[in-house]
């Protein structure tokens, strides 16, 4: 075949392919009807009503097929209408049953949820049971306390069930939870007891688990007390050991030095021991509060707080046996001054430690007993001193000043009162202490001075007593709560000053030869007759006295009573001098009036007493 033929053939084939009719014919001719089941079924169906192959039937074929299809559809509709009606009747009952079943299913679901919620609320999980039981030696963790709280909550919630118609279930669950609780508390108690028993070191590491354990044990007061006692016993061991080490070994590396090294100094020795006890008490209280901080935080206001619990804490209650050393120092009677300072030291630490504890704690009670014992020994020492003052009376010195014994005793009293000012007591108690101390010291001193001056003449006695009383007043005037005593001393001083004033005035009148004249004139009565007629009151005797009196007015210092020069108080000496001059002036005025009285029949009285009382007053002032 030539290329041209091939080209013509190719073009004819291409035109045939592009003709739609040709394509349909080719498709029909190529179809294998025996393999096309749908076409065969369609032809079979067509053969039932397509009997004549004519132009008319071919034209009406589509309409026939559509009408037949519609007829078949109507038959199907009629048949399905019957089925529908039958199905409606059958399914109505089914729907009702289904609805009932759905409602029942909802009820069952609700019951299942309620049951699940009930179990979740009133039953423990397997893991929680395992955590609660555990092993006795096993360590406790936070999940243990969560499980324990869960058991307590369930047990408490069961009380609600007991008020409903579920009492049997409530009782059974409560019994089950009670068993779990007892098992858990037994394990908690054993573990906490073991932990507290091991806290015997100088420092205590209180963890949050320890605090949670003590908080949980509050629901079992007996177990709580046992554990607290165990903790107290462990800490007591540590405190006693630390106290003995402080006494005998000192601190780490020897700093601070052992307290025993200062045993020769009672105040330093006792002070160091008490300071150590104060520090230990504060530390132990902090340890206990740390251990109980969660337990006391949950405690109602009406119940005991941390301080009340601390007061019952064994390591804080103990009266350490080593404190007998303090008692030994007191019994040794180192002297009234040291004893009083020891008493004040004990009083200070009793007050200071009392801020941590209260007076019911054994430690503060012990300190209180020792303070009272020191006070008792102190006053016994004062009584012994007082007895010695009275038993062995010292004679007054030549200068009529205070004796050495009086000066030493007053110096001791001054030290005691100065020490008392620094003590930590209330004003009322301080005033009571002052009164007791002054009574114990001053009364024997007054008795000693009186006995010492008993054999002296009035002027010497008055001077000596004034000097002694002045020394006492000077000592007491520096301190409070001594006003009453100062008033008593001043009253006695005034009495002795009166004696010296009279002695000074008598001394001057005696030296001027006017004493007898003045005495007669003072006691003269008008019915006895005129003064001029009395023996010793004639004009010459009075003039002679006035001559000596003029000498006194010229040099009054030469007429001073010798005892007045021994007075140690310048103010008292000046007071006695002034009052004596007033008496002399009064005596002169009395004589002047008597001489110038016409009834006494003195001739030319102005020549007898040339100076008026006012002139004498001016000269003596």
């Amino acid at each position: 075949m030539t290329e041209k033929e091939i080209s013509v053939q190719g073009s004819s084939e291409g035109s045939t392919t592009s003709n739609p009719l040709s394509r349909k014919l080719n498709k029909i001719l190529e179809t294998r009807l025996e393999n096309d089941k749908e076409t065969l079924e369609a032809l079979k169906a067509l053969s039932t009503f397509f009997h004549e192959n004519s132009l008319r039937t071919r034209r009406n074929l589509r309409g026939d097929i559509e009408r037949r299809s519609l007829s078949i559809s109507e038959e199907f509709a009629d048949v399905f209408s019957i089925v529908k009606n039958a199905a409606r009747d059958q399914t109505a009952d089914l729907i009702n049953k289904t609805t009932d079943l759905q409602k029942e299913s909802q009820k069952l679901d609700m019951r299942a949820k309620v049951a699940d919620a009930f179990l979740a609320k009133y039953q423990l999980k397997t893991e929680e049971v395992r955590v609660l039981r555990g092993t006795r030696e096993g360590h406790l963790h936070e999940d243990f306390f969560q499980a324990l709280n869960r058991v307590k909550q369930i047990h408490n919630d069961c009380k609600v069930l007991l008020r409903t118609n579920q009492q049997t279930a409530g009782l059974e669950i409560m019994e089950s939870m009670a068993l779990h609780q007892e098992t858990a508390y037994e394990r908690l108690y054993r573990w906490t007891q073991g932990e507290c028993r091991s806290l015997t070191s100088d420092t205590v590491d209180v963890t949050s688990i320890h605090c949670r354990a003590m908080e949980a044990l509050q629901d079992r007061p007996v177990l709580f007390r046992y554990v607290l006692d165990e903790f107290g016993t462990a800490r007591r061991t540590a405190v006693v050991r630390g106290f003995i080490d402080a006494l005998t070994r000192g601190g780490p590396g020897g700093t601070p030095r052992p307290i025993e090294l200062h045993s020769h100094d009672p105040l330093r020795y006792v002070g160091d021991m008490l300071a150590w006890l104060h520090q230990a008490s504060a530390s132990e209280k902090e340890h206990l509060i740390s251990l109980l901080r969660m337990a006391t935080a949950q405690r109602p206001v009406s119940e005991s707080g941390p301080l009340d619990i601390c007061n019952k804490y064994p390591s804080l209650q103990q009266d350490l046996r080593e404190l007998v050393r303090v008692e030994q120092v007191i019994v040794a009677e180192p002297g009234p001054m040291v004893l009083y300072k020891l008493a004040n030291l004990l009083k200070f630490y009793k007050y200071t430690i009392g801020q941590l504890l209260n007076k019911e704690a054994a430690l503060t009670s012990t300190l209180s007993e020792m303070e009272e014992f020191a006070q008792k020994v102190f006053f016994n020492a004062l009584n012994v001193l007082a007895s010695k003052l009275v038993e062995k009376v010292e004679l007054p010195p030549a200068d009529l000043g205070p004796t050495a014994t009086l000066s030493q005793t007053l110096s001791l009293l001054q030290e005691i009162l100065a020490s008392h000012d620094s003590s930590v007591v209330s004003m009322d108690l301080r005033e009571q202490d002052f009164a007791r101390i002054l009574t114990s010291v001053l009364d024997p001193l007054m008795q000693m001075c009186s006995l010492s001056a008993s054999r002296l003449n009035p002027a010497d006695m008055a001077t000596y007593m004034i000097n002694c009383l002045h020394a006492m007043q000077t000592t007491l005037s520096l301190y409070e709560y001594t006003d009453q005593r100062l008033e008593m001393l001043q009253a006695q001083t005034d009495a002795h000053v009166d004696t010296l004033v009279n002695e000074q005035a008598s001394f001057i009148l005696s030296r001027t030869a006017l004493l007898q004249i003045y005495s007669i004139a003072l006691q003269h009565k008008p019915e006895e007759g005129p003064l001029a007629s009395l023996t010793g009151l004639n004009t010459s005797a009075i003039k002679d006295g006035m001559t000596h009196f003029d000498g006194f007015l010229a040099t009054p210092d030469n007429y001073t009573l010798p005892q007045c020069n021994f007075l140690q108080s310048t103010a008292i000496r000046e007071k006695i001098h002034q009052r004596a001059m007033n008496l002399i002036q009064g005596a002169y005025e009395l004589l002047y009036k008597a001489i110038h009285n016409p009834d006494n029949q003195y001739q030319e009285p102005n020549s007898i007493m040339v100076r008026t009382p006012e002139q004498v007053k001016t000269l003596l002032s």
Side-chain angles (χ1 to χ4, degrees), residues 8 68 91 140 178 192 236 280 393 418 451 516 524 584 602 610:
V8 173
R68 185 168 181 79
T91 58
L140 297 185
T192 310
R236 178 167 53 204
V393 178
L451 292 174
Q516 184 177 4
H524 176 260
I584 296 300
Y602 284 103
V610 296

Side-chain angles (χ1 to χ4, degrees), residues 3-17:
E3 293 181 0
K4 184 176 180 180
E5 292 174 345
I6 294 172
S7 175
V8 173
Q9 184 179 358
S11 61
S12 62
E13 292 178 356
S15 61
T16 303
T17 306

Side-chain angles (χ1 to χ4, degrees), residues 70 246 263 295 297 328 364 394 604:
L70 178 60
S263 58
Q328 291 173 352
T364 52
E394 187 176 0
E604 298 180 357

Side-chain angles (χ1 to χ4, degrees), residues 516-517 520 531 534-538 541-542:
Q516 184 177 4
I517 297 173
I520 296 173
L531 281 176
L534 298 179
T535 304
L537 267 75
N538 54 44
I542 295 175

Side-chain angles (χ1 to χ4, degrees), residues 243 270-285 307 310-311 315-320 323 345-368 370 424:
F243 187 54
V270 174
D272 287 350
M273 282 192 286
L274 295 178
W276 191 95
L277 278 177
H278 174 234
Q279 182 179 3
S281 298
S283 299
E284 292 305 311
K285 181 182 178 182
L307 184 59
C310 290
N311 290 330
S315 71
L316 295 181
Q317 282 204 55
Q318 60 185 324
D319 45 349
L320 295 173
L323 283 179
L345 188 63
L346 287 164
K347 187 180 299 181
F348 170 78
Y349 277 102
K350 180 185 71 173
Y351 172 81
T352 304
I353 295 177
Q355 301 302 305
L356 299 172
L357 312 176
N358 66 13
K359 60 182 181 181
E360 296 178 359
L363 182 56
T364 52
S365 297
T366 301
L367 291 176
S368 180
M370 289 190 176
V424 187

Side-chain angles (χ1 to χ4, degrees), residues 88 145 190 198 373 380 478 522:
R88 181 184 296 118
F145 298 102
R190 295 299 178 187
S198 63
F373 180 61
N380 286 339
L478 301 175
L522 182 64

Side-chain angles (χ1 to χ4, degrees), residues 4-168:
K4 184 176 180 180
E5 292 174 345
I6 294 172
S7 175
V8 173
Q9 184 179 358
S11 61
S12 62
E13 292 178 356
S15 61
T16 303
T17 306
S18 61
N19 190 341
L21 183 60
S22 298
R23 288 199 302 274
K24 289 183 178 181
L25 289 174
N26 289 333
K27 184 176 181 181
I28 292 171
L29 292 174
E30 291 174 357
T31 299
R32 302 295 184 182
L33 294 176
E34 64 274 9
N35 297 329
D36 191 350
K37 294 182 179 181
E38 291 182 358
T39 302
L40 290 175
E41 291 294 330
L43 291 175
K44 288 180 180 180
L46 182 61
S47 64
T48 59
F49 63 89
F50 190 76
H51 303 291
E52 181 181 1
N53 185 9
S54 63
L55 178 60
R56 176 181 171 277
T57 56
R58 286 195 299 273
R59 288 179 178 177
N60 296 329
L61 178 60
R62 178 181 294 274
D64 293 340
I65 293 173
E66 290 177 353
R67 282 190 295 272
R68 185 168 181 79
S69 176
L70 178 60
S71 176
I72 293 172
S73 296
E74 290 175 350
E75 291 178 1
F76 269 106
D78 293 339
V79 173
F80 277 112
S81 177
I82 297 172
V83 173
K84 176 183 177 183
N85 293 331
R88 181 184 296 118
D89 295 336
Q90 293 177 1
T91 58
D93 185 57
L94 180 61
I95 290 173
N96 292 333
K97 291 182 179 179
T98 302
T99 302
D100 294 338
L101 291 175
Q102 288 178 345
K103 292 180 179 179
E104 187 67 24
S105 176
Q106 291 176 354
K107 291 181 180 180
L108 292 175
D109 290 341
M110 182 61 68
R111 289 179 179 179
K113 291 180 180 179
V114 171
D116 292 340
F118 183 85
L119 293 175
K121 185 175 181 62
Y122 291 100
Q123 290 295 325
L124 293 176
K125 298 178 182 178
T126 304
E127 180 64 22
E128 290 174 334
V129 175
R130 185 189 64 80
V131 169
L132 284 177
R133 293 185 179 279
T135 59
R136 180 174 296 182
E137 294 76 16
H139 192 73
L140 297 185
H141 299 281
E142 184 65 27
D143 52 0
F144 172 85
F145 298 102
Q146 293 176 356
L148 181 58
N149 289 336
R150 174 94 172 109
V151 172
K152 291 163 60 179
Q153 184 63 43
I154 293 174
H155 191 275
N156 189 57
D157 290 343
C158 285
K159 296 177 182 178
V160 178
L161 293 179
L162 296 179
R163 294 195 291 267
T164 65
N165 57 356
Q166 302 296 329
Q167 295 181 358
T168 303

